[in-house]
PDB file of all heavy atoms in Angstrom:
ATOM      1  N   GLU A 232      49.781  77.367 -60.751  1.00 97.00           N
ATOM      2  CA  GLU A 232      50.421  76.247 -61.375  1.00 97.00           C
ATOM      3  C   GLU A 232      49.335  75.306 -62.002  1.00 97.00           C
ATOM      4  O   GLU A 232      49.645  74.635 -63.089  1.00 97.00           O
ATOM      5  CB  GLU A 232      51.316  75.442 -60.386  1.00 97.00           C
ATOM      6  CG  GLU A 232      52.470  76.351 -59.913  1.00 97.00           C
ATOM      7  CD  GLU A 232      53.362  75.606 -58.896  1.00 97.00           C
ATOM      8  OE1 GLU A 232      54.270  74.923 -59.186  1.00 97.00           O
ATOM      9  OE2 GLU A 232      53.106  75.912 -57.739  1.00 97.00           O
ATOM     10  N   TYR A 233      48.263  75.273 -61.373  1.00 96.00           N
ATOM     11  CA  TYR A 233      47.180  74.353 -61.823  1.00 96.00           C
ATOM     12  C   TYR A 233      46.609  75.017 -63.084  1.00 96.00           C
ATOM     13  O   TYR A 233      46.177  74.340 -64.089  1.00 96.00           O
ATOM     14  CB  TYR A 233      46.075  74.129 -60.835  1.00 96.00           C
ATOM     15  CG  TYR A 233      46.478  73.387 -59.685  1.00 96.00           C
ATOM     16  CD1 TYR A 233      46.803  74.003 -58.474  1.00 96.00           C
ATOM     17  CD2 TYR A 233      46.688  71.899 -59.815  1.00 96.00           C
ATOM     18  CE1 TYR A 233      47.375  73.120 -57.467  1.00 96.00           C
ATOM     19  CE2 TYR A 233      47.086  71.203 -58.638  1.00 96.00           C
ATOM     20  CZ  TYR A 233      47.460  71.797 -57.558  1.00 96.00           C
ATOM     21  OH  TYR A 233      47.887  71.064 -56.471  1.00 96.00           O
ATOM     22  N   VAL A 234      46.674  76.292 -63.266  1.00 97.00           N
ATOM     23  CA  VAL A 234      46.195  76.973 -64.405  1.00 97.00           C
ATOM     24  C   VAL A 234      47.103  76.724 -65.515  1.00 97.00           C
ATOM     25  O   VAL A 234      46.782  76.311 -66.659  1.00 97.00           O
ATOM     26  CB  VAL A 234      45.918  78.509 -64.127  1.00 97.00           C
ATOM     27  CG1 VAL A 234      45.528  79.182 -65.457  1.00 97.00           C
ATOM     28  CG2 VAL A 234      44.956  78.781 -63.077  1.00 97.00           C
ATOM     29  N   LYS A 235      48.458  76.824 -65.281  1.00 97.00           N
ATOM     30  CA  LYS A 235      49.467  76.625 -66.242  1.00 97.00           C
ATOM     31  C   LYS A 235      49.430  75.302 -66.764  1.00 97.00           C
ATOM     32  O   LYS A 235      49.748  75.001 -67.996  1.00 97.00           O
ATOM     33  CB  LYS A 235      50.915  77.044 -65.734  1.00 97.00           C
ATOM     34  CG  LYS A 235      51.084  78.578 -65.438  1.00 97.00           C
ATOM     35  CD  LYS A 235      52.411  78.778 -64.934  1.00 97.00           C
ATOM     36  CE  LYS A 235      52.646  80.274 -64.534  1.00 97.00           C
ATOM     37  NZ  LYS A 235      53.912  80.436 -63.875  1.00 97.00           N
ATOM     38  N   SER A 236      49.271  74.291 -65.948  1.00 96.00           N
ATOM     39  CA  SER A 236      49.196  72.947 -66.309  1.00 96.00           C
ATOM     40  C   SER A 236      47.976  72.519 -67.054  1.00 96.00           C
ATOM     41  O   SER A 236      48.023  71.382 -67.660  1.00 96.00           O
ATOM     42  CB  SER A 236      49.400  71.969 -65.082  1.00 96.00           C
ATOM     43  OG  SER A 236      48.126  71.986 -64.377  1.00 96.00           O
ATOM     44  N   GLY A 237      46.968  73.255 -67.113  1.00 97.00           N
ATOM     45  CA  GLY A 237      45.743  72.984 -67.751  1.00 97.00           C
ATOM     46  C   GLY A 237      44.696  72.135 -67.038  1.00 97.00           C
ATOM     47  O   GLY A 237      43.755  71.879 -67.498  1.00 97.00           O
ATOM     48  N   ILE A 238      45.085  72.003 -65.776  1.00 97.00           N
ATOM     49  CA  ILE A 238      44.079  71.303 -64.872  1.00 97.00           C
ATOM     50  C   ILE A 238      42.993  72.340 -64.661  1.00 97.00           C
ATOM     51  O   ILE A 238      41.728  71.904 -64.619  1.00 97.00           O
ATOM     52  CB  ILE A 238      44.768  70.812 -63.583  1.00 97.00           C
ATOM     53  CG1 ILE A 238      45.692  69.703 -63.868  1.00 97.00           C
ATOM     54  CG2 ILE A 238      43.679  70.407 -62.478  1.00 97.00           C
ATOM     55  CD1 ILE A 238      46.620  69.353 -62.550  1.00 97.00           C
ATOM     56  N   VAL A 239      43.254  73.548 -64.405  1.00 98.00           N
ATOM     57  CA  VAL A 239      42.211  74.647 -64.349  1.00 98.00           C
ATOM     58  C   VAL A 239      42.177  75.334 -65.608  1.00 98.00           C
ATOM     59  O   VAL A 239      43.132  75.811 -66.177  1.00 98.00           O
ATOM     60  CB  VAL A 239      42.626  75.494 -63.212  1.00 98.00           C
ATOM     61  CG1 VAL A 239      41.686  76.783 -63.091  1.00 98.00           C
ATOM     62  CG2 VAL A 239      42.585  74.895 -61.758  1.00 98.00           C
ATOM     63  N   LYS A 240      40.933  75.412 -66.199  1.00 97.00           N
ATOM     64  CA  LYS A 240      40.734  76.202 -67.399  1.00 97.00           C
ATOM     65  C   LYS A 240      39.974  77.496 -67.093  1.00 97.00           C
ATOM     66  O   LYS A 240      39.354  77.468 -66.064  1.00 97.00           O
ATOM     67  CB  LYS A 240      39.787  75.378 -68.234  1.00 97.00           C
ATOM     68  CG  LYS A 240      40.121  73.892 -68.492  1.00 97.00           C
ATOM     69  CD  LYS A 240      41.188  73.844 -69.627  1.00 97.00           C
ATOM     70  CE  LYS A 240      41.365  72.342 -70.040  1.00 97.00           C
ATOM     71  NZ  LYS A 240      42.626  72.124 -70.519  1.00 97.00           N
ATOM     72  N   THR A 241      40.249  78.319 -67.908  1.00 97.00           N
ATOM     73  CA  THR A 241      39.462  79.698 -67.838  1.00 97.00           C
ATOM     74  C   THR A 241      38.309  79.686 -68.718  1.00 97.00           C
ATOM     75  O   THR A 241      38.457  78.984 -69.825  1.00 97.00           O
ATOM     76  CB  THR A 241      40.431  80.921 -68.121  1.00 97.00           C
ATOM     77  OG1 THR A 241      40.944  80.694 -69.406  1.00 97.00           O
ATOM     78  CG2 THR A 241      41.507  81.066 -67.156  1.00 97.00           C
ATOM     79  N   GLN A 242      37.349  80.189 -68.345  1.00 97.00           N
ATOM     80  CA  GLN A 242      36.019  80.340 -69.052  1.00 97.00           C
ATOM     81  C   GLN A 242      35.340  81.677 -68.681  1.00 97.00           C
ATOM     82  O   GLN A 242      35.777  82.289 -67.731  1.00 97.00           O
ATOM     83  CB  GLN A 242      35.306  79.118 -68.839  1.00 97.00           C
ATOM     84  CG  GLN A 242      34.807  79.061 -67.349  1.00 97.00           C
ATOM     85  CD  GLN A 242      34.035  77.769 -67.026  1.00 97.00           C
ATOM     86  OE1 GLN A 242      34.172  76.748 -67.514  1.00 97.00           O
ATOM     87  NE2 GLN A 242      33.029  77.874 -66.039  1.00 97.00           N
ATOM     88  N   ALA A 243      34.195  81.904 -69.301  1.00 98.00           N
ATOM     89  CA  ALA A 243      33.386  82.943 -68.903  1.00 98.00           C
ATOM     90  C   ALA A 243      32.746  82.625 -67.581  1.00 98.00           C
ATOM     91  O   ALA A 243      32.658  81.428 -67.185  1.00 98.00           O
ATOM     92  CB  ALA A 243      32.284  83.188 -69.893  1.00 98.00           C
ATOM     93  N   PRO A 244      32.643  83.466 -66.662  1.00 98.00           N
ATOM     94  CA  PRO A 244      32.081  83.317 -65.293  1.00 98.00           C
ATOM     95  C   PRO A 244      30.666  82.619 -65.575  1.00 98.00           C
ATOM     96  O   PRO A 244      29.971  82.973 -66.498  1.00 98.00           O
ATOM     97  CB  PRO A 244      31.860  84.682 -64.816  1.00 98.00           C
ATOM     98  CG  PRO A 244      32.911  85.520 -65.385  1.00 98.00           C
ATOM     99  CD  PRO A 244      33.050  84.926 -66.794  1.00 98.00           C
TER     100      PRO A 244
END
Side-chain angles (χ1 to χ4, degrees):
E232 294 174 86
Y233 293 101
V234 176
K235 287 178 189 173
S236 74
I238 293 169
V239 172
K240 307 276 189 211
T241 56
Q242 62 183 34

